[in-house]
Amino acid sequence: MIRPARSFQGSVTLPGDKSISHRYAMLAGLAEGTTRLSNFSTGADPHSSLACMEALGAKVVHAADKTIEITGTAGVFQQPTAPLDCGNSGSTMRMLTGLIAPHPHTFTLIGDHSLTLRPMERIRKPLGQMGARIELADGHAPIKIQGEPLHAIDFDTPIPSAQVKTAVLFAGLQASGTTSLTESVRTRDHSEHALRTFGATLNRSGEKLSIPGGQRLKAIDATVPGDLSSAAFFLCAALLFPDSHLILDSIGMNPTRASLLDVITALGGKIKVLNVEEHHGELIGTIQVNGPASGPRGMHIGGTLSAQIIDELPVLAAIAPYTRDGISIRDAKELRVKESDRIALVAKNLRAMGAEFTEFEDGLEIPGNQQLHGAQIDSGADHRIAMAFSIAALRATGDTEIQGAEAAAISFPEFFTHLDALCKR
Ligand code: S3P
């Protein structure tokens, strides 16, 4: 149950970035030696990746100081004794398929109901071109893999997807020859940084990435930066209160993720970056945000920007009615194949709170200057929907009940505790 708030103030340190945690877990499992990771994501999704790496022969130890130690398999995965359970995590399923396809075993990858509805042909196709033997059930999980040696390809990604890019890079790392890949839109580049950190060679020439095959990885020591996509909920909350003041510590500011900060600024948020450092190719900084004195402005989000902030679109849509000029989101049809059909669920929940808007196949147009009322929200078991509407609830009249709120634990188990501490009532 979320009660409206009067203001939003405080400082938070966010759990480790989900995307980076997945990649470090998987590469640590493949590498030789013991990787030590601090601030690993507390979300259930990266823990699905960790559990899969254990099933493949990596040793995972949760040390008392909250560090996670992963002793890798030195490039030799074992035959798992059961299907690899990816839970709710598309990242686990897609990236892991590329990582394990060259290993001489049979693998089955399964997931929960939501994951079983998500499209997997997008990875089967390029990996199949590399020689991987992958069987899907009508384009979906369960994924069955008969491991085979792979060969390099030259691949143009038809859909902007960091998960597909990563599946191909992880396979290319272990294939014969040099795999190259050109992206239609430059997506998050955590895999490129992570691969280099674990000792791999990877080249970029213009828009073309290439990775020589037959490479070995070495363990690392690293701290995972705070998750900017989790911070997005609080950044959007800060926009809703003229006197808000928020400090986010040690947050990931990778430029391929940080367009969100431009959006927050365009909506009127006053952002100060207090310091920035680079660790293993990833930028980490402390951000201070103040809300706009005269309320959030509106904007249009489309084109490549939609792909770059795809995970943040639900919360931006949820606060759109409170903006002055509204927010329109287009070119975002990928939202329909995330953990849920996020366009349909945002529409359903905006409607429940009394908002007017127009739904399109690839987005939503949401006029501003609307007052929402408390309602029953259907999270659809989707973490980002549960959190997005918890933020919309802060400025509604009356209380809002989030049904399926526990879904937040997929990426951000501490969300409601932090939200409570930041809200002044
Ligand atoms: C992710 C990439 C995005 C994003 C997901 C995490 C990643 O998915 O939505 O939450 O870690 O690479 P796509 O690559 O399918 O767009």
Side-chain angles (χ1 to χ4, degrees), residues 3-14 230-238 241 243-249 287 289 391 394 412 414-425:
R3 281 182 297 130
R6 260 190 315 107
S7 183
F8 195 78
Q9 288 173 4
S11 112
V12 208
T13 305
L14 288 127
S230 296
F233 299 101
F234 300 148
L235 290 167
C236 285
F241 300 90
D243 60 345
S244 62
H245 178 77
L246 180 66
I247 293 183
L248 302 168
D249 252 349
I287 304 176
V289 194
I391 300 303
L394 300 179
F412 195 4
E414 307 81 355
F415 172 75
F416 290 106
T417 311
H418 286 314
L419 185 66
D420 221 26
L422 291 166
C423 285
K424 308 298 161 221
R425 294 198 157 93

Side-chain angles (χ1 to χ4, degrees), residues 18-19 23 91 94-95 122 160-164 188 310-311 334 338 384:
K18 179 162 86 73
S19 292
R23 288 155 172 84
S91 300
R94 295 192 179 121
M95 304 196 296
R122 54 181 65 191
S161 167
Q163 295 175 357
V164 174
R188 61 190 75 191
I310 195 82
D311 290 342
E334 272 293 300
K338 292 292 177 187
R384 298 207 197 275

Side-chain angles (χ1 to χ4, degrees), residues 84-107:
L84 297 166
D85 189 352
C86 304
N88 189 242
S89 173
S91 300
T92 305
M93 187 169 270
R94 295 192 179 121
M95 304 196 296
L96 193 62
T97 298
L99 193 75
I100 62 181
H103 292 257
H105 304 300
T106 54
F107 305 98

